[in-house]
Amino acid sequence: MLQVDSQQINEIAGELDAGCRAFYHKPTGQLVSILDSSKFPIIDWEAEDLETLAKIETNPQTYIEIEAMRSGDAYRVMVDFVEQLTNQRLQEKLLRALDKPKPFREFKYVIDNSGVHREEWFAFKNQQYADWVRRQLDRHE
């Protein structure tokens, strides 16, 4: 059984959202993360990160990788946020943003200029990402 508490789940979610790869070490229950080289092609690796990567690559069967959301999943989170909004004007602006080319950028622009709703968005997104992580860990139990 995996021993991961809410704080650790939130930590993993934050790491994934920031562009890292996250792993659960089955024997120890330790959580580790490293930068995702597919998102950061030019990485100045720290010695500690290189060590961690080597351990993971040497013994992949002892780690569970917690996957980051794909863009389609992240897009769905934005849509879910918009659908639950009670501010109809903001809801309409965000729906238009999501229908434009580069919807992530457009959504970010609108939400960054939405006052208190910006913090609501971050709380919503963080909760959705934590649920995403929890579902993955539950599948491994």
Side-chain angles (χ1 to χ4, degrees):
M1 183 167 178
L2 305 180
Q3 299 295 320
V4 184
D5 62 30
S6 293
Q7 181 181 347
Q8 290 171 308
I9 287 172
N10 290 332
E11 182 182 325
I12 294 168
E15 293 286 331
L16 292 172
D17 193 30
C20 291
R21 293 175 66 195
F23 299 86
Y24 175 87
H25 187 240
K26 292 186 272 187
T28 65
Q30 179 186 13
L31 299 167
V32 295
S33 63
I34 56 172
L35 285 176
D36 186 342
S37 60
S38 70
K39 294 177 182 160
F40 302 100
I42 301 172
I43 298 176
D44 186 16
W45 290 95
E46 301 283 328
E48 182 180 330
D49 290 335
L50 288 171
E51 237 178 78
T52 300
L53 185 58
K55 285 178 187 176
I56 293 166
E57 289 176 347
T58 304
N59 298 300
Q61 71 283 0
T62 64
Y63 290 89
I64 296 170
E65 182 167 8
I66 298 113
E67 301 281 334
M69 284 187 188
R70 294 173 298 278
S71 62
D73 301 311
Y75 182 87
R76 184 73 224 163
V77 169
M78 292 187 298
V79 170
D80 290 347
F81 175 74
V82 171
E83 289 176 348
Q84 59 88 44
L85 281 172
T86 56
N87 181 322
Q88 191 172 2
R89 185 166 180 235
L90 177 60
Q91 190 177 46
E92 289 169 6
K93 282 178 152 179
L94 288 169
L95 285 172
R96 280 194 304 273
L98 291 172
D99 282 339
K100 292 181 179 181
K102 303 195 184 231
F104 288 88
R105 182 182 69 188
E106 296 295 331
F107 182 94
K108 181 180 179 338
Y109 176 79
V110 173
I111 204 69
D112 282 350
N113 294 290
S114 68
V116 297
H117 299 290
R118 182 175 186 270
E119 292 307 314
E120 291 172 14
W121 159 244
F122 284 116
F124 184 87
K125 181 177 79 160
N126 292 343
Q127 182 59 54
Q128 294 300 306
Y129 227 124
D131 292 345
W132 171 266
V133 169
R134 194 172 288 109
R135 284 191 300 274
Q136 287 186 66
L137 292 171
D138 287 348
R139 283 195 300 264
H140 288 283
E141 290 195 288

